[in-house]
Amino acid sequence: MTGSPPADMSTGPEHPLEKEVRLLRARLDRVERQIQALADANATLARGVQGDPLEPPGVDRAVQAARLARELLLAAGLVGRAARPEDERPGPRVPGDGGTG
């Protein structure tokens, strides 16, 4: 029986443009996840600065929201040491950025 092979079967070496498209899709997926994490952190901060008149005094929503937002960004690898590989970090290290010095 003749005809073209099924779409899931490789017919030879990958074309350079196919590899580039695959790499770009992977980068796009990563950026989309990062944007979602930033949106979640932003929404958390926004909720933190909105005061609730029924909330008991002494509860600092902004501080709690800031901590939660930072935890969300840490979990997504957007802040701290896990944010970017060493070779992608611009400029000198800043104390407190999650690095060692």
Side-chain angles (χ1 to χ4, degrees), residues 28-41 78:
L28 179 61
D29 289 344
R30 180 174 180 237
V31 169
E32 286 176 341
R33 287 190 306 272
Q34 290 174 334
I35 289 171
Q36 185 60 52
L38 289 170
D40 292 344
L78 295 176

Side-chain angles (χ1 to χ4, degrees), residues 48 55-56 58-65:
E55 196 167 278
V59 174
D60 195 349
R61 288 176 58 94
V63 170
Q64 291 174 345

Side-chain angles (χ1 to χ4, degrees), residues 50-75:
Q50 295 172 347
D52 183 0
L54 300 176
E55 196 167 278
V59 174
D60 195 349
R61 288 176 58 94
V63 170
Q64 291 174 345
R67 285 184 186 138
L68 179 57
R70 179 155 174 82
E71 288 175 13
L72 289 168
L73 295 175
L74 281 168

